[in-house]
């Protein structure tokens, strides 16, 4: 396929956590079902995990990316780790020529970095964590985060 050719029958779902996270898996399964019912080929791009393929429908192509997915107690180190992982995932997502890209946001860094990696005309963000609404508007970083 040529570099700029778009496969109009493919939907790419991008996630920053493996499908072993029940909340994320429950969030993306309805998208799998809807897209497949409408005749689309569905690809899932997510961090590597031995159970990913067991937890996702057989007719979804799972593309795994090796990224640093680990629990870190230090907030700054955890944020830097998530930024790095998000950049790796979005770099890989950029190589696909899907009709639409759905970025599922359990990590705010996918949302912040997506405009730098993805085309704006076919990329959609699914912000599924409403906890951002609880950020205090008096802090500049919180105020900006809620409005980007």
């Amino acid at each position: 396929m040529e570099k700029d050719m778009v496969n109009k029958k493919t939907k790419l779902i991008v996630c920053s956590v493996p499908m072993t996270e029940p909340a994320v898996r429950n969030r993306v399964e309805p998208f799998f079902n809807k897209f497949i019912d409408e005749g689309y080929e569905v690809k899932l791009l997510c961090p590597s995990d031995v159970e990913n393929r067991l937890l996702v429908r057989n007719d979804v192509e799972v593309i795994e990316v090796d990224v640093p997915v680990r629990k870190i107690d230090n907030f700054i180190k955890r944020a830097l780790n998530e930024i790095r992982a998000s950049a790796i995932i979005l770099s890989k997502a950029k190589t696909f020529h899907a009709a639409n890209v759905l970025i599922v946001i359990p990590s705010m860094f996918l949302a912040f970095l997506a405009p730098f990696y993805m085309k704006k005309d076919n990329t959609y963000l699914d912000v599924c964590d409403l906890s951002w609404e609880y950020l205090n508007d008096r802090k500049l970083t919180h105020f900006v985060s809620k409005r980007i």
Side-chain angles (χ1 to χ4, degrees):
M1 189 181 304
E2 287 182 30
K3 184 176 183 198
D4 293 329
M5 290 283 290
V6 172
N7 184 341
K8 296 192 183 302
K9 292 302 284 180
T10 300
K11 303 281 189 182
L12 176 65
I13 298 175
V14 179
C15 191
S16 62
V17 295
M19 293 297 102
T20 52
E21 293 288 333
V24 174
R25 189 173 63 252
N26 292 339
R27 183 68 183 176
V28 297
E29 282 178 348
F31 290 114
F32 295 156
N33 297 337
K34 179 70 172 165
F35 295 154
I36 289 169
D37 288 349
E38 291 183 0
Y40 289 98
E41 174 187 351
V42 178
K43 297 181 180 189
L44 169 68
L45 179 66
C46 66
S48 299
D49 190 289
V50 294
E51 293 186 38
N52 279 338
R53 295 183 199 284
L54 301 172
L55 297 170
V56 175
R57 293 175 56 140
N58 290 335
D59 46 2
V60 172
E61 181 182 345
V62 178
I63 302 140
E64 297 179 304
V65 180
D66 289 324
V67 295
V69 177
R70 57 186 183 262
K71 303 289 184 198
I72 300 173
D73 291 335
N74 181 293
F75 174 77
I76 300 298
K77 288 181 181 179
R78 185 173 67 238
L80 292 173
N81 186 60
E82 284 189 33
I83 290 169
R84 180 171 173 246
S86 295
I88 292 168
I89 291 167
L90 289 169
S91 292
K92 181 71 173 179
K94 186 178 181 177
T95 66
F96 290 89
H97 304 288
N100 299 109
V101 178
L102 175 65
I103 300 174
V104 180
I105 308 294
S107 167
M108 69 176 140
F109 297 108
L110 277 178
F112 293 148
L113 295 176
F116 298 105
Y117 288 89
M118 307 305 296
K119 292 181 181 178
K120 292 168 183 61
D121 61 341
N122 73 335
T123 302
Y124 302 90
L125 298 177
D126 175 44
V127 181
C128 53
D129 189 350
L130 296 179
S131 65
W132 288 13
E133 286 302 315
Y134 298 103
L135 294 177
N136 185 341
D137 279 342
R138 287 184 252 166
K139 292 187 178 184
L140 179 62
T141 55
H142 293 179
F143 180 81
V144 172
S145 295
K146 287 171 60 174
R147 283 152 184 84
I148 289 182

